[in-house]
Amino acid sequence: MKRDTSYLRLFLFSIFFFFSTSIFSIPIDWVGGEMFFENDWNRAANWFPPRVPTAADDVTIPFTPNAPTLDIDVTGGNAIASLTIEDGATLTTGNFSLEVLGDVILGTTFVVTLDASGQTTASVDISGNVSGTGVFTAAAGTVTIGGNVTVGTFTASSGSTTVTGNLTSATFNANGGSITFDGGGTST
């Protein structure tokens, strides 16, 4: 008598698929432009492939007139695997939080803005390094960087920034903000 192994094969495939998508990061690109929600981070139609990024995703934000804005804190937070902001692109977190589990790579003419609009609950937590020749601006709220920072201009305005590694920047602007080197990091 022959055994039906289709359920076993389906089960094994499901286990493989689950672990392969949770171990390996998946690229996802910002496209923006969904009517009436052109800048909404949490709208699947603004991404390719069309879904909201998760902790398993390598996010790329290219230059576009419809730059993304985080507009809601989702259950479990807005966590992504890594973030690349290309030349001329921007990302605004508004009053909400973003967690980058890996590195952030910045283009040459971009500004990353943490704009808490008077709120102190907004935060950006980056587990890895931040690198690029552009401008990193933390306008308000809290920024924590677990690795090294190497950027053209670093601005910490009216918020608090903690860098565990080293900070290398051609221009540093405190602008009323505070920066803490936690773990032996230095500034050059």
Side-chain angles (χ1 to χ4, degrees), residues 70-121:
L70 286 172
D71 58 352
I72 189 170
D73 270 330
V74 296
T75 303
N78 292 306
I80 57 177
S82 69
L83 175 63
T84 299
I85 301 176
E86 295 181 347
D87 292 352
T90 62
L91 170 62
T92 301
T93 62
N95 295 327
F96 303 100
S97 300
L98 177 65
E99 181 179 10
V100 182
L101 303 174
D103 294 338
V104 173
I105 300 171
L106 308 172
T108 58
T109 58
F110 67 90
V111 177
V112 175
T113 303
L114 174 62
D115 178 11
S117 302
Q119 303 288 327
T120 58
T121 58

Side-chain angles (χ1 to χ4, degrees), residues 113-134:
T113 303
L114 174 62
D115 178 11
S117 302
Q119 303 288 327
T120 58
T121 58
S123 66
V124 172
D125 295 314
I126 301 167
S127 297
N129 299 314
V130 176
S131 62
T133 57

Side-chain angles (χ1 to χ4, degrees), residues 3 7 10-12 14 19 25 32 44 46 49 52 65 111 113 120 133 136 150 162 169-170 178 185 187:
R3 290 185 165 199
Y7 289 111
L10 179 62
F11 173 75
L12 291 174
S14 299
F19 284 110
S25 54
N46 284 330
V52 177
V111 177
T113 303
T120 58
T133 57
F136 187 97
T150 305
T162 301
S169 176
S178 67
S187 157

Side-chain angles (χ1 to χ4, degrees), residues 12-13 24 54 99 111 125 153 164:
L12 291 174
F13 175 77
F24 303 106
T54 67
E99 181 179 10
V111 177
D125 295 314
T153 300
T164 300

